[in-house]
Amino acid sequence: TERKKFHTAPVGQVFRLRPFHVLVATGGGYAGYRKYEDYKVEQLEKRGIEVPVKLASEWEVALYKSVPTRLLSRAWGRLNQVELPTWLRKPVYSLYIWTFGVNMKEAAVEDLHHYRNLSEFFRRKLKPQARPVCGVHSVISPSDGKILNFGQVKNCEVEQVKGVTYSLESFLGPRIPTEELHFRQAPAGHSFQQQLVTKEGNELYHCVIYLAPGDYHCFHSPTDWTVSHRRHFPGSLMSVNPGVARWIKELFCHNERVVLTGDWKHGFFSLTAVGATNVGSIRIYFDQDLHTNSPSYSKGSYNDYSFISNNNKEGIPMRKGEHLGEFNLGSTIVLIFEAPKDFKFNLKAGQKIRFGEALGSL
């Protein structure tokens, strides 16, 4: 007699799903499945078992792209900037250090209470002596990371990992005007790759370095060169870990990236910072106009900015080892440059490398 009355809504209203929710749930579940598959591949590789390349189909790529990684990355960025209470800093950062194997003995400030938020911790600086810059070799590693691939560029295709390629022109975008880079005009009819090679007898080379979450997140100038131009491609923010790079063809062309181009003593030189999930923020120290992971963008668009002006005829000079920029978490650096045919890499695919160590030389 004193029971309360309960009012129930029709089942259709309770379980009403919108298309966006279905896409997020499906895409998120599939992304989780892919993470598990990547883990299995890594375990097989550790045991020395070669895993055949299996590329994603168009629908799989579309499904992965349905996950709102740009929105999630912006949310993660805001979360990283929230100031943590002093008592909470050590437990949070210690968990991160344990999970990703961070070596805090190299950090300029080892006291975990010094870092007010996760963003400051991710962008921690190193002690000056922690990364000596190799003075013998002409090109050094611009960052800590893992070597995914390196070698000569062939047939206008670049390998992101062994057996999986992407288009050189899609990655860099249309060729920058010759007068901006002080290069000679390439003869008509030459391929995009041939147009980038400015000196007879030179070849085009590439090197891909993957930065894991536990790595040092700043990147530096890999050689003495002059930066003349910046091209920013808004895009997806899919994971760029080796497993996904092996699965999605032209992954680096899908993702947001900042391409810096210029010249060094042997001709054309470029460094590209590729964004990834939770790495919507790419910062270039001398470029205050650059804003990455904007809420609105046009698919396939890009923004150009020239460092050549009436007051600066040369561009931005960079010395080998000089601070160049930073990621907010970890991502990928791609170097594409021309050099004489006797240029040799001092690397092995899959090896770990640290900023300042030699990549190659003549």
Side-chain angles (χ1 to χ4, degrees):
T1 56
E2 295 181 358
R3 290 176 185 174
K4 295 181 179 178
K5 293 182 179 180
F6 290 90
H7 298 275
T8 58
V11 175
Q13 292 182 14
V14 176
F15 295 101
R16 183 166 51 193
L17 294 176
R18 294 183 174 86
F20 175 76
H21 298 152
V22 175
L23 284 173
V24 171
T26 307
Y30 192 74
Y33 165 74
R34 285 308 314 172
K35 286 285 187 182
Y36 174 67
E37 289 294 307
D38 295 341
Y39 171 77
K40 290 198 299 183
V41 169
E42 287 178 7
Q43 295 306 307
L44 290 172
E45 288 181 339
K46 286 180 180 179
R47 291 159 54 188
I49 301 173
E50 187 172 347
V51 181
V53 173
K54 184 181 178 182
L55 294 177
S57 62
E58 289 186 8
W59 73 264
E60 287 178 308
V61 176
L63 188 57
Y64 191 179
K65 282 186 170 183
S66 70
V67 181
T69 52
R70 293 178 63 83
L71 177 62
L72 292 173
S73 295
R74 286 195 295 275
W76 177 251
R78 289 192 177 94
L79 180 63
N80 286 352
Q81 293 172 5
V82 174
E83 185 169 341
L84 296 176
T86 305
W87 62 269
L88 189 59
R89 293 174 189 177
K90 189 172 182 178
V92 170
Y93 302 147
S94 295
L95 177 61
Y96 187 91
I97 290 168
W98 178 80
T99 304
F100 297 108
V102 178
N103 184 3
M104 283 303 293
K105 291 183 178 180
E106 298 177 330
V109 180
E110 297 183 41
D111 182 11
L112 298 180
H113 296 101
H114 169 80
Y115 303 100
R116 294 173 297 178
N117 51 48
L118 281 166
S119 182
E120 286 189 3
F121 179 73
F122 292 148
R123 296 181 287 107
R124 64 192 177 276
K125 305 300 181 185
L126 298 181
K127 294 173 182 174
Q129 67 273 21
R131 295 290 186 275
V133 175
C134 177
V136 177
H137 294 78
S138 55
V139 184
I140 62 168
S141 176
S143 66
D144 289 5
K146 179 180 180 180
I147 301 296
L148 293 190
N149 214 302
F150 63 93
Q152 284 190 18
V153 177
K154 298 179 180 179
N155 303 319
C156 295
E157 292 282 321
V158 187
E159 281 194 319
Q160 57 193 29
V161 294
K162 185 178 180 181
V164 182
T165 63
Y166 56 93
S167 163
L168 179 64
E169 186 169 6
S170 296
F171 181 69
L172 295 179
R175 189 164 184 262
I176 298 159
T178 306
E179 59 272 10
E180 232 177 77
L181 298 179
H182 312 294
F183 293 163
R184 63 174 174 80
Q185 184 67 42
H190 279 210
S191 68
F192 183 82
Q193 179 178 334
Q194 291 170 325
Q195 291 178 33
L196 294 180
V197 178
T198 65
K199 298 180 181 179
E200 189 174 348
N202 280 2
E203 296 287 347
L204 205 62
Y205 298 86
H206 75 99
C207 183
V208 184
I209 305 170
Y210 166 69
L211 288 75
D215 287 329
Y216 168 56
H217 301 116
C218 296
F219 51 93
H220 301 245
S221 176
T223 191
D224 295 335
W225 64 308
T226 301
V227 184
S228 305
H229 189 273
R230 179 259 291 162
R231 177 168 283 161
H232 171 216
F233 290 86
S236 301
L237 288 173
M238 294 184 283
S239 171
V240 292
N241 73 53
V244 177
R246 189 185 295 107
W247 179 55
I248 297 181
K249 183 178 174 62
E250 298 207 331
L251 171 65
F252 298 157
C253 298
H254 288 292
N255 271 17
E256 181 150 4
R257 60 198 182 278
V258 177
V259 182
L260 300 178
T261 51
D263 60 290
W264 70 318
K265 60 183 177 182
H266 299 297
F268 173 80
F269 199 97
S270 72
L271 180 149
T272 302
V274 183
T277 308
N278 296 335
V279 195
S281 175
I282 302 171
R283 182 183 174 194
I284 304 297
Y285 294 138
F286 57 75
D287 188 355
Q288 302 302 317
D289 295 322
L290 175 64
H291 300 287
T292 57
N293 196 8
S294 173
S296 61
Y297 74 100
S298 299
K299 185 178 180 180
S301 65
Y302 59 85
N303 305 306
D304 281 338
Y305 185 86
S306 174
F307 298 110
I308 303 293
S309 63
N310 292 331
N311 297 326
N312 183 0
K313 300 292 185 181
E314 298 298 323
I316 309 294
M318 297 297 301
R319 302 294 297 174
K320 184 168 65 174
E322 186 177 351
H323 278 83
L324 182 54
E326 63 188 32
F327 293 110
N328 244 355
L329 189 57
S331 192
T332 297
I333 295 285
V334 179
L335 302 179
I336 298 175
F337 57 94
E338 73 168 296
K341 291 181 178 180
D342 57 350
F343 181 87
K344 300 293 182 184
F345 284 102
N346 304 314
L347 303 171
K348 291 181 180 179
Q351 78 171 71
K352 291 288 292 182
I353 197 166
R354 304 202 304 176
F355 155 60
E357 295 179 345
L359 287 183
S361 192
L362 298 170

